[in-house]
Amino acid sequence: RTLAETLRRDGIEYVVLELNAETVRRARLAGEPVYYGDVAGAETLDHAHLARARALVLLINDADATARAIVAARRIAPNVPVLARTPW
C-alpha cells in the first residue's frame, strides 16, 4: 500500500497483481488498478504489459514465488529492471 500511495502521489501509473480475491475486490472498489493474477506466471505478466513497464517491483513474502516471477519476467521483458523485497 505504501508503494502504491507513493506512486499515485507522484503521478506514476502502476498495476498491482494480487492472488487474494478479497484484497482485489476491496482495492478495486477503492479505485485501485488491481487485478487478480499470479505474478509468477508468464501469461499474467504478459497481460499486465510487462514489456512496456519501466520496472517490476516484487513485494512477495514467498521466496520461491519471487524467484519464479523473476524467471518469468526475464523471459517476457529481459530489459525491464526488477526490484524485489527480500527477508534479509
Side-chain angles (χ1 to χ4, degrees):
R1 285 187 225 144
T2 302
L3 178 58
E5 289 171 9
T6 300
L7 293 171
R8 185 174 42 258
R9 183 189 64 230
D10 291 346
I12 298 170
E13 291 184 38
Y14 63 94
V15 172
V16 176
L17 299 173
E18 172 63 54
L19 274 176
N20 183 307
E22 181 58 24
T23 299
V24 172
R25 187 189 70 73
R26 282 194 315 262
R28 290 192 59 94
L29 286 173
E32 290 294 322
V34 179
Y35 300 92
Y36 181 81
D38 182 2
V39 73
E43 186 174 329
T44 302
L45 292 172
D46 191 41
H47 284 305
H49 305 289
L50 178 62
R52 296 191 330 226
R54 291 176 28 196
L56 172 63
V57 179
L58 299 169
L59 302 172
I60 305 170
N61 292 327
D62 181 337
D64 291 331
T66 298
R68 289 192 309 275
I70 292 169
V71 168
R74 286 288 161 251
R75 275 186 272 152
I76 293 168
N79 296 318
V80 171
V82 177
L83 296 95
R85 177 180 62 188
T86 64
W88 304 284

